[in-house]
Amino acid sequence: MTTAIENGIEKKSLADRESAIHTLNIEIEAISRLKDSIALKNLTEALDLMQNATGRIIVTGMGKSGHIGKKISASLASTGTPSFFVHPAEASHGDLGMITEEDVVIAISNSGESRELIDIINYCKRFGIKIISITKNAESSLGKAGNVVLELPKYEEACPLGLAPTSSTTATLVLGDILTVGLIERKGFSREDFNVRHPGGKLGSILKRVGDLMHSGQEMPLLDENSNMQSVLLEMTSKCLGCVGFVNAGGDLTGMLTDGDLRRCLSSSILNEKAINLMTKNPKTVTKDMISAEALKIMHDKKITNMFVLDGKKPIGVIHIHDLLNNGVA
């Protein structure tokens, strides 16, 4: 039998779910209207201005528009387009000097009538600095001041009072992503470029290259392929990586043995064997430029824990799965 408290909790949950679905539907509709209403000519002109700017992309906006503007600016900067955010109030007290004639300004205002943007708009007009206006009202002060206007869809806010920016900020954020992605594609921005700008945190770990984590030089367990197994055991034990690689007279990698391989072929006569007779020939290898996350996937798929790193056919390092996991690659 359900209690009154349980019934109350269930009613609350149903009401919360109904509210959540209502909010989602309104915001989805706002994005759908953006999709249908976006002026492709204006979008292309905005991307042209941003791509051809010899300076930076300056993003500005007040209140919630400013918070969205900061995210847009951060996305641009991290994907190869120099950008920073200028707060309109601070601009009026000296930060206008941060904006140069080589820059392009993206100014955001839902109504297009934010008083705090007046000084930035006048400054841009005085020095011929291009403005991309993002607003719901192309006939507003901001809309008329813009060299290009990216108009937001006219649609209700998800806020039940119709006051707090919700649908409008979602649409603005999506429009910022459209600009960011457009520039990524135009500039041919690559994973390698992205890696340079994200050296820290989880992304930095995942985007590290094998060459950054591999063991090389004297740390590399490496012997001639004709070495006896006594030498192999000593090399594997001293280098503590659980494997040994083998090279031919030309220095090319021809095979490898792991501690697991040794256990599987263990016998009373193993010390009399030569490595070339027991080694795994043509083992799976990687290059130093491979992204570490890709190397981890290979190890996972092949169920192996070590791979040698080659330059052509020459071993230059070895990577262990623990090197990847300990550096946050997972």
Side-chain angles (χ1 to χ4, degrees):
M1 178 180 289
T2 57
T3 67
I5 292 176
E6 288 172 333
N7 284 331
I9 292 173
E10 185 176 350
K11 287 180 180 178
K12 268 188 183 179
S13 296
L14 289 173
D16 290 341
R17 182 181 185 279
E18 184 178 340
S19 174
I21 295 300
H22 180 68
T23 299
L24 283 168
N25 286 336
I26 290 176
E27 301 217 9
I28 289 169
E29 179 62 23
I31 294 173
S32 179
R33 291 198 178 196
L34 175 65
K35 177 183 174 182
D36 294 336
S37 65
I38 192 167
L40 296 180
K41 178 176 178 293
N42 291 22
L43 177 62
T44 297
E45 289 178 355
L47 287 169
D48 284 344
L49 282 179
M50 296 169 72
Q51 184 178 10
N52 296 328
T54 55
R56 294 78 41 87
I57 306 301
I58 311 300
V59 186
T60 188
M62 197 67 193
K64 303 300 185 294
S65 294
H67 292 305
I68 297 299
K70 289 178 183 178
K71 190 276 176 185
I72 294 172
S73 178
S75 294
L76 289 169
S78 70
T79 54
T81 301
S83 176
F84 61 86
F85 179 83
V86 172
H87 194 287
E90 298 294 337
S92 300
H93 294 273
D95 283 2
L96 282 173
M98 300 169 71
I99 307 173
T100 72
E101 295 176 27
E102 289 75 34
D103 299 333
V104 170
V105 170
I106 298 177
I108 307 169
S109 171
N110 192 33
S111 67
E113 300 295 347
S114 296
R115 294 191 304 274
E116 294 86 354
L117 290 175
I118 291 174
D119 289 339
I120 288 183
I121 292 172
N122 289 338
Y123 182 84
C124 289
K125 290 302 180 183
R126 178 181 176 186
F127 292 100
I129 299 167
K130 303 297 184 184
I131 300 174
I132 298 171
S133 300
I134 297 180
T135 178
K136 268 187 181 179
N137 185 4
E139 296 304 313
S140 64
S141 299
L142 177 60
K144 291 178 179 178
N147 298 90
V148 179
V149 180
L150 298 177
E151 197 167 0
L152 296 168
K154 295 178 175 64
Y155 192 64
E156 64 179 308
E157 300 288 2
C159 166
L161 302 176
L163 300 174
T166 45
S167 307
S168 58
T169 49
T170 298
T172 305
L173 184 62
V174 171
L175 185 52
D177 288 342
I178 289 170
L179 294 172
T180 300
V181 172
L183 288 175
I184 289 173
E185 293 174 345
R186 282 187 175 209
K187 294 181 176 183
F189 191 78
S190 67
R191 288 175 62 129
E192 289 73 19
D193 298 324
F194 193 83
N195 185 24
V196 171
R197 291 164 176 80
H198 295 78
K202 185 67 174 177
L203 278 175
S205 298
I206 291 173
L207 293 172
K208 280 183 179 177
R209 299 182 183 280
V210 167
D212 298 325
L213 303 176
M214 70 183 187
H215 301 268
S216 58
Q218 293 301 311
E219 295 181 15
M220 197 171 26
L222 205 61
L223 292 173
D224 184 272
E225 63 185 2
N226 291 305
S227 299
N228 59 48
M229 290 304 296
Q230 184 174 356
S231 300
V232 173
L233 287 169
L234 290 172
E235 182 75 356
M236 187 178 294
T237 303
S238 65
K239 298 300 173 65
C240 300
L241 289 173
C243 69
V244 178
F246 303 102
V247 294
N248 60 21
D252 298 338
L253 186 77
T254 55
M256 71 178 290
L257 270 172
T258 67
D259 51 6
D261 295 330
L262 285 179
R263 286 193 297 272
R264 284 185 286 273
C265 62
L266 196 61
S267 69
S268 58
S269 61
I270 190 172
L271 293 180
N272 297 321
E273 293 280 358
K274 287 192 174 182
I276 195 170
N277 298 322
L278 299 177
M279 70 186 188
T280 299
K281 296 180 180 178
N282 301 314
K284 189 66 183 176
T285 60
V286 291
T287 65
K288 67 176 183 175
D289 293 325
M290 178 179 282
I291 298 296
S292 58
E294 295 175 358
L296 181 61
K297 185 178 186 306
I298 292 172
M299 289 185 178
H300 178 269
D301 292 346
K302 300 294 183 181
K303 295 179 170 58
I304 56 178
T305 57
N306 308 78
M307 289 191 294
F308 273 85
V309 185
L310 301 188
D311 181 4
K313 295 182 179 181
K314 304 289 190 294
I316 58 173
V318 62
I319 188 82
H320 192 286
I321 193 168
H322 289 164
D323 300 321
L324 301 171
L325 297 178
N326 290 339
N327 279 275
V329 183

